[in-house]
Amino acid sequence: MAHWRLKLSLFINYFLFAMLLNSVGTVILQVQSTYHISESSAGILEAFKDLSIAIMSFVMASFIGRLGYKKAMLLALGLVAGASIAMPLMNTFWMTKLLFATVGISFALIKVSVYATIGLVTKDEGEHISFMNFIESFFMIGILLGNFIFSLFIDDTNPSSSSWTQVYYWLAGLAIIAFLLLYTTPVSETTNNDSQSESSSFGEMFRLAIVPVVLVFVASAFIYVLIEQSIMSWLPTFNNKVLHLPATLSVQMASILTASAALGRFFAGILLRKFPWLFVLTICIIAAGSLVILALPLAQNLGNEAITGWGNAPLVAFVFPLIGFLIAPIYPAINSIILSTLPQKQHGLMSGLIVIFSALGGTTGSFITGHIFEAFGGQTAFYFSLIPMGILVTLLFFFKKIQSRYQSNPIDFGKGGGSH
């Protein structure tokens, strides 16, 4: 019974943070009208979210072992509940920045704790893999539903309205429910009081990061998330300002990107069992670049007809988000490849590096896209994604070459390079 309650708590935690983290695109759109700020100023929200994740992922290595995973999750839920309640009460742009910083810090605590806790509620490797995939799929469902939930609070008749901030009362309520459920659920875990071994993880993380195969991987992960977040965070604004969709519909139709991404990861899982990963991922990137070139011209000459719903939305609003189907398989594939290359004892440190460089990539992508959007328009901002796509293809070829070398001669990274 306790295992089922803990599983339910983990699902609610991931569902909640999926909505909070990936609401940044919706919020970027809304704050421009509500607080009368520019695209480049709104884009800073991505930095508050991602940099806080990166910084927290780095520093948490020094204390999470002593704190314990249950307490870490309770702390995260308490922080986001407080910030969510404060958001509509304060109703200012600086509070929006503080909210996303809090969400980022809390997500770093949640992700590491959830991953570590999965081993407590699964019996064997097969069940562990199954539960991991299930909870990541639940994260995608949270993103998908989050777009529709946020859209219910947007006032299309008054763009300057702050009614959208009321959604945070509901999210605070969900955080409180998750807090109480976890608080009353027994969790059998051991804490580590060896501060020396924890502090040494900082040096180990740096040593791991400069290993060639890891260095090329983190560059690949950085570029991938740069592409993903530059599109995901700015798609609602693109729909609204370039395609002239109402704000509510702009947010709802951005969910096509999430749905197509979920399908892309499902089908890629089948293909990657039959074909070499470099072949599959290269085809994905080339197809994604082709879609950018073919779809974005459809955003021109849309006419003067007022768009009122899904029925008369322009074709590009349906076609361009399908890019999610093509790029989504890349990230989990390269993560799996690097983890399978490294010794098991390095997986924790590698997970930290993945979170850190992914967060940095997301911040960079959103920041650059926001400035290009403001200076040259939304179409040019999305055409920009072709440049990092070209870089990513090149990096993946280098990654495959170096990874193959390390597979034939495994390295004990923790000892600075001696063979097993």
Side-chain angles (χ1 to χ4, degrees):
M1 180 64 180
H3 277 188
W4 281 107
R5 291 178 64 185
L6 182 54
K7 285 182 178 180
L8 178 60
S9 179
L10 298 182
F11 282 130
I12 294 176
N13 290 352
Y14 244 46
F15 183 80
L16 170 66
F17 277 90
M19 290 191 289
L20 285 167
L21 283 168
N22 292 279
S23 68
V24 67
T26 301
V27 177
I28 283 175
L29 169 62
Q30 292 304 115
V31 297
Q32 293 175 55
S33 300
T34 302
Y35 305 127
H36 308 291
I37 60 174
S38 65
E39 287 93 344
S40 57
S41 297
I44 199 69
L45 293 178
E46 189 81 48
F48 276 87
K49 172 176 72 77
D50 288 334
L51 291 181
S52 60
I53 294 174
I55 294 169
M56 191 62 181
S57 297
F58 180 75
V59 303
M60 67 191 300
S62 66
F63 71 84
I64 196 167
R66 288 172 290 171
L67 178 64
Y69 297 118
K70 178 177 178 178
K71 289 181 180 178
M73 288 189 285
L74 290 174
L75 176 61
L77 292 168
L79 287 173
V80 297
S84 295
I85 292 172
M87 179 62 208
L89 293 176
M90 299 296 184
N91 193 22
T92 58
F93 185 49
W94 70 261
M95 184 60 222
T96 310
K97 297 176 184 178
L98 180 59
L99 171 73
F100 278 107
T102 304
V103 168
I105 290 170
S106 301
F107 179 67
L109 291 168
I110 286 287
K111 186 166 186 176
V112 172
S113 299
V114 166
Y115 275 26
T117 308
I118 288 176
L120 302 176
V121 295
T122 53
K123 298 177 182 178
D124 52 38
E125 182 181 11
E127 187 179 350
H128 189 286
I129 295 172
S130 175
F131 190 79
M132 178 75 79
N133 279 278
F134 193 32
I135 202 168
E136 288 291 348
S137 298
F138 208 69
F139 189 84
M140 300 298 291
I141 294 172
I143 298 173
L144 186 63
L145 293 180
N147 286 329
F148 287 94
I149 292 172
F150 268 81
S151 71
L152 296 175
F153 292 83
I154 295 174
D155 184 358
D156 284 327
T157 62
N158 181 14
S160 297
S161 171
S162 61
S163 60
W164 59 273
T165 63
Q166 301 299 305
V167 70
Y168 288 104
Y169 284 132
W170 294 89
L171 295 176
L174 182 59
I176 292 170
I177 291 172
F179 182 97
L180 294 174
L181 177 61
L182 179 60
Y183 184 78
T184 57
T185 300
V187 179
S188 300
E189 60 175 317
T190 58
T191 57
N192 179 11
N193 294 314
D194 186 356
S195 59
Q196 180 63 34
S197 64
E198 289 172 358
S199 62
S200 67
S201 63
F202 291 114
E204 292 175 10
M205 187 175 289
F206 279 122
R207 286 195 295 273
L208 181 62
I210 61 175
V211 172
V213 68
V214 177
L215 190 61
V216 177
F217 162 76
V218 295
S220 302
F222 176 91
I223 293 295
Y224 168 79
V225 180
L226 183 151
I227 297 168
E228 180 190 62
Q229 290 302 310
S230 67
I231 296 172
M232 182 175 289
S233 296
W234 286 95
L235 186 57
T237 300
F238 177 84
N239 287 342
N240 180 248
K241 295 196 171 185
V242 177
L243 306 185
H244 309 298
L245 275 60
T248 300
L249 187 61
S250 297
V251 173
Q252 290 177 353
M253 295 200 74
S255 64
I256 298 173
L257 180 66
T258 305
S260 65
L263 287 174
R265 288 182 177 176
F266 174 78
F267 284 108
I270 299 173
L271 290 175
L272 287 167
R273 292 181 179 181
K274 300 180 179 180
F275 300 100
W277 66 264
L278 182 60
F279 173 78
V280 174
L281 300 190
T282 301
I283 294 298
C284 285
I285 298 172
I286 293 173
S290 300
L291 181 62
V292 170
I293 294 171
L294 294 173
L296 287 181
L298 298 175
Q300 298 174 341
N301 304 318
L302 295 177
N304 299 319
E305 179 186 1
I307 300 170
T308 57
W310 289 71
N312 68 336
L315 180 62
V316 64
F318 294 94
V319 174
F320 183 72
L322 297 179
I323 196 171
F325 181 87
L326 299 170
I327 65 173
I330 299 169
Y331 190 65
I334 61 175
N335 285 345
S336 176
I337 292 160
I338 191 63
L339 288 173
S340 65
T341 303
L342 297 174
Q344 179 68 37
K345 65 181 180 180
Q346 298 293 338
H347 287 192
L349 291 174
M350 190 65 245
S351 297
L353 288 174
I354 290 171
V355 174
I356 290 170
F357 282 91
S358 297
L360 294 175
T363 296
T364 305
S366 184
F367 180 80
I368 293 174
T369 303
H371 278 76
I372 298 175
F373 203 115
E374 182 178 349
F376 303 104
Q379 284 181 273
T380 302
F382 280 170
Y383 275 125
F384 160 77
S385 64
L386 294 171
I387 298 175
M389 284 182 192
I391 296 172
L392 183 56
V393 169
T394 304
L395 285 171
L396 291 182
F397 275 93
F398 279 107
F399 184 34
K400 172 61 176 176
K401 182 178 181 180
I402 300 174
Q403 184 251 354
S404 298
R405 186 191 311 157
Y406 276 92
Q407 279 187 323
S408 61
N409 182 26
I411 298 294
D412 187 344
F413 298 98
K415 293 182 179 180
S419 61
H420 285 300

